[in-house]
Amino acid sequence: MDNASWRKSLLKGIAVGDKIGSGNVSILFSLDKRVTEGHEFKPGDVLVTDMTDPDWEPIMKKASAIITNKGGRTCHAAIVARELGVPAIVGCGNATDILNTGQLVTASCCEGDEGIIYEGDIPYQKIETDLNDLPKVKTPIMLNVASPNLAFRFSHLPNAGVGLAREEFIINNYIQVHPMALLKHRELNDAGLSKTIATMILGFENEEDFFIQRLSYGIAKIAASFYPNKVIVRFSDFKSNEYFNLLGGKYFEPHEENPMIGWRGASRYYSEKYKEAFGWKCKAIKRVREDID
């Protein structure tokens, strides 16, 4: 970015990445209302919200930058922004109060750990680096990857494989249905849910086949992109509030005051209430390892 003294800083937060993006502010508090204050979210807008979860990813992919009130370097918005290559400034505190829908701003993450939101479209210079000029290192550099659709692009970066392939993106984008809803939707007396699931699993033998094939293909796409390097897969670590947002999730997820320390990870895997769904995930991994060429 240039060193002009006239640029006006509006607020600051935690910088995610080292990029910069400009666009018109679009403030959203809920996905139930994607048009707010008469302004519809458009590709290239700057997404400004309180915080995000996996349901926000389709909008996040369209954003030129992401700004949140809450969160830190490991929050959902930060993780997704890194993977998408979108500049994000999180933990701003009161971005939704200070910024206005339609306002032209520039979100800069190229000035160190602190991200700065400037008024207007600030000019900057883009510097490209030839990866072949990077020095060799002794430490194997492995990547964090979750989106199968972006895996091939990331595989061209210098790497020793994938140290963390997360299932959450695959389940949210490829499957979209709570695994227990797939298992038990006929017992729920919800005709609408059963009809939607029936449409989604067309072409598959049954609900189990749908889940295992979709999950295994997503994992395999990441693995194939980085072959012959290692890809280490982590089973889903969705929190209860995130699973709740999947189709049919409301029937199976508890309300937790703090889902961060709640029913997630290994505590979910060995639970009798989730045991069958965990078995499907194990079958998906087995299919990737043994059956997919």
Side-chain angles (χ1 to χ4, degrees):
M1 180 179 288
D2 65 72
N3 293 317
S5 59
W6 51 265
R7 61 181 186 252
K8 180 181 178 182
S9 170
L10 299 173
L11 73 159
K12 300 178 180 180
I14 301 169
V16 178
D18 55 5
K19 294 186 176 181
I20 184 170
S22 301
N24 295 317
V25 168
S26 184
I27 298 175
L28 288 178
F29 291 101
S30 170
L31 292 180
D32 295 333
K33 191 175 182 182
R34 301 193 182 201
V35 179
T36 179
E37 297 180 14
H39 180 82
E40 183 178 358
F41 192 90
K42 301 180 179 66
D45 282 351
V46 175
L47 173 62
V48 180
T49 187
D50 194 45
M51 61 189 302
T52 67
D53 62 42
D55 282 348
W56 288 77
E57 288 160 24
I59 284 184
M60 297 169 76
K61 291 177 181 178
K62 300 177 182 179
S64 62
I66 299 166
I67 300 169
T68 67
N69 292 336
K70 300 177 182 177
R73 297 191 187 282
T74 59
C75 72
H76 177 266
I79 292 171
V80 174
R82 288 190 193 97
E83 184 136 337
L84 295 177
V86 175
I89 302 176
V90 300
C92 295
N94 56 352
T96 52
D97 295 326
I98 292 178
L99 302 178
N100 300 304
T101 291
Q103 181 180 11
L104 180 61
V105 300
T106 297
S108 172
C109 297
C110 61
E111 299 167 78
D113 292 338
E114 191 173 56
I116 306 174
I117 296 96
Y118 294 100
E119 185 175 52
D121 187 0
I122 303 300
Y124 61 91
Q125 181 182 10
K126 182 178 179 180
I127 300 174
E128 294 187 357
T129 301
D130 187 342
L131 297 179
N132 293 319
D133 296 335
L134 295 178
K136 300 292 183 181
V137 295
K138 294 182 179 180
T139 303
I141 298 176
M142 304 182 80
L143 307 181
N144 285 0
V145 179
S147 173
N149 294 332
L150 297 174
F152 185 73
R153 190 178 82 185
F154 294 152
S155 69
H156 293 284
L157 297 173
N159 71 84
V162 177
L164 175 61
R166 301 187 301 272
E167 287 186 354
E168 290 89 341
F169 271 39
I170 303 172
I171 293 172
N172 195 65
N173 296 329
Y174 279 40
I175 298 172
Q176 301 179 331
V177 189
H178 195 290
M180 295 306 298
L182 286 170
L183 269 161
K184 300 183 178 295
H185 65 92
R186 293 181 181 84
E187 305 171 15
L188 298 175
N189 194 29
D190 187 334
L193 174 62
S194 292
K195 183 178 179 181
T196 300
I197 290 176
T199 300
M200 296 178 74
I201 67 172
L202 284 174
F204 297 89
E205 290 184 13
N206 49 41
E207 291 86 349
E208 179 178 356
D209 184 55
F210 165 78
F211 184 91
I212 292 172
Q213 284 208 42
R214 296 299 287 261
L215 180 56
S216 62
Y217 278 132
I219 295 170
K221 193 170 183 179
I222 296 174
S225 298
F226 287 88
Y227 181 83
N229 289 332
K230 288 184 178 180
V231 172
I232 301 172
V233 179
R234 184 192 72 187
F235 284 98
S236 169
D237 192 30
F238 267 152
K239 299 181 286 295
S240 58
N241 60 320
E242 294 168 338
Y243 264 122
F244 182 93
N245 291 328
L246 293 175
L247 187 64
K250 64 182 180 181
Y251 294 111
F252 302 97
E253 295 302 318
H255 171 73
E256 297 180 313
E257 290 297 330
N258 188 354
M260 288 292 292
I261 57 174
W263 195 34
R264 60 181 297 196
S267 68
R268 181 181 289 264
Y269 304 157
Y270 61 68
S271 169
E272 289 296 326
K273 294 180 180 179
Y274 196 78
K275 190 175 181 178
E276 294 172 279
F278 179 62
W280 283 5
K281 294 179 183 179
C282 293
K283 288 180 180 180
I285 292 291
K286 185 175 186 293
R287 185 171 186 271
V288 174
R289 288 177 59 89
E290 299 180 3
D291 299 333
I292 297 181
D293 295 326

